Amino acid sequence: MSKIVKCELYLKNISSLATCANPDGRPKAGAALLDAGEIKNGAVLVSEGKILKTGATAAIEKYLADNKIAPEKELDLSGMTVTPGFVDPHTHMAFAGSRENEFAMRVEGRSYLEILNAGGGILNTLRYVRNIDFKELYSQTAARVERAFMHGTTSMEIKSGYGLDFDAEIKTLKVCRKLAGKSPCTIVATYMGAHAIPPEYKDGRGEYIDLMINKVIPYVARHALAKFNDVFVESGVFTAQEGEKILAAGKKHGLIPKVHADEITCCGGAELAARIGAISADHLLMASDRGLEMMREKGVVAVALPGTLYSLLSKTYLDFEKLMKKGVAIALATDANPGSNMCINMQTAINQAVCLMKVPPAAAVNMATINAAHAIGIAAERGSIEAGKFADLAVLEGPSYNYTAYSYGVNHVKFVVKNGALYEVKSQLRKIWRKK
Ligand code: NIG
Ligand code: FE
């Protein structure tokens, strides 16, 4: 007896279907990065929340007829683009307050590190996060995550790191855990106590590091509050040596290392990421060639954050071509945070990668989906449109992903599919008052 195939959702006549398929199961690097696995006039069949089949619409029509399958819901997407739901592998979404005044100070010439070392920056947000209760932090974070979802982000990583003391870090990670249960977006959490030295430990950084290692990390791991452990390795923040100690302690407890590496100065972050076996090293503008080569050897994914450099008014951006030639796998993220990039939109990140890093649009889509999924360890089940993976999709207006990259400043997402459920994204103009 042949198995009865059920199909709940059928997307057909898709002008450009970017599958971002990576059959070898490895993050895309080199020439593979330039191939988004595009199917023109494509179709996707979804069954029980997962991708059943993809291909050209004509072939899928034949498959449906041959097997007498009648999908429950059909969408004709001619003129539209479908990509895997975006994966944002680096965010600091769980925060309160905003720092537009610091942004204005940067425009006037003050630097990011100068502002941080004068008690602003991360320490500014820290005051908001420590003083807010769980419920309010949850509702502010949930609103941001929902907005990202409406812009096509179906999975994201969220870091703690604005509380820094035990209570505020645990509060933040519990917000992430509650969101993981309630939001349609897949959420993975990262403990980032090593985001800055909190003010009460200004003259006792060793003690703060001991607190993380002996108290917070074991608690976070015991209660499964995070999957990753991240350190801001930067001049005047944490040294590579301190980072190594903190990440090694996390590893002992099962937390996978990540590194904010060589963002503003070259300080051994990329080398540390390779040495410690990090899943990703992020930022990397100032990374040494040796560090990048070590990353390639160890399979560490490089996460590019062009929006951060843009918002920091940088004149230079991560050298995509160099990384590609070196064979380093590159992913893309927003770095959404109130200090260095107040932006939750992966479509914007794609536009910035293309315009500022000269990334070809096909590569930018791979970086924002399958490679981003690798950077947070979810690529076996998400990040590309391949049979057997969860049906996480972004349906965008415009005839191809080139359009997604080229037209910016508006939301192109019309539908989001998450675990097979279909969401419509609506924005409507409604006249509510007329002056007589
Ligand atoms: O990735 N570099 C450190 N952390 C964030 C910024 C956090 C903040 O300024 O609030 C980043 O850019
Ligand atoms: Fe960051």
Side-chain angles (χ1 to χ4, degrees), residues 15-59:
S15 288
S16 170
L17 169 63
T19 64
C20 302
N22 75 325
D24 71 0
R26 299 221 315 245
K28 291 191 182 220
L33 202 48
L34 304 173
D35 178 4
E38 187 188 33
I39 302 172
K40 294 273 189 203
N41 195 9
V44 182
L45 285 178
V46 177
S47 176
E48 290 176 351
K50 296 199 167 168
I51 312 277
L52 177 66
K53 221 173 169 43
T54 62
T57 299

Side-chain angles (χ1 to χ4, degrees), residues 332 346-356 364 404-408:
L332 180 66
M346 284 296 282
Q347 294 164 70
T348 306
I350 288 173
N351 171 262
Q352 289 167 330
V354 173
C355 293
L356 303 170
T404 312
Y406 134 92
S407 166
Y408 66 97

Side-chain angles (χ1 to χ4, degrees), residues 87 89 279 331 367-380 382-384:
V87 177
I279 192 164
M367 286 161 63
T369 57
I370 186 61
N371 277 13
H374 276 286
I376 55 171
I378 61 167
R382 304 185 192 275
S384 60

Side-chain angles (χ1 to χ4, degrees), residues 90-92 159 192 195 230 260 263 283 305 335 337 340:
H90 182 143
T91 88
H92 305 255
K159 301 173 200 294
M192 198 174 178
H195 201 189
D230 197 342
H260 275 62
E263 175 182 358
H283 289 292
L305 305 162
D335 195 15
N337 77 79
S340 64

Side-chain angles (χ1 to χ4, degrees), residues 279-339:
I279 192 164
S280 78
D282 307 33
H283 289 292
L284 296 167
L285 178 70
M286 307 305 284
S288 71
D289 284 350
R290 178 79 193 111
L292 295 173
E293 280 147 23
M294 285 171 67
M295 281 174 54
R296 190 214 42 239
E297 281 159 27
K298 290 288 164 64
V300 182
V301 178
V303 179
L305 305 162
T308 304
L309 290 163
Y310 175 76
S311 185
L312 291 176
L313 314 174
S314 177
K315 290 188 177 64
T316 49
Y317 288 86
L318 189 59
D319 189 339
F320 171 77
E321 211 181 308
K322 177 164 100 179
L323 264 70
M324 222 198 66
K325 283 197 179 133
K326 284 191 186 296
V328 178
I330 319 169
L332 180 66
T334 61
D335 195 15
N337 77 79

Side-chain angles (χ1 to χ4, degrees), residues 402-428:
N402 283 343
Y403 189 92
T404 312
Y406 134 92
S407 166
Y408 66 97
V410 292
N411 186 12
H412 296 301
V413 170
K414 295 294 164 212
F415 301 96
V416 179
V417 178
K418 179 64 190 179
N419 294 336
L422 179 65
Y423 296 79
E424 185 177 13
V425 180
K426 269 199 160 163
S427 67
Q428 282 176 328

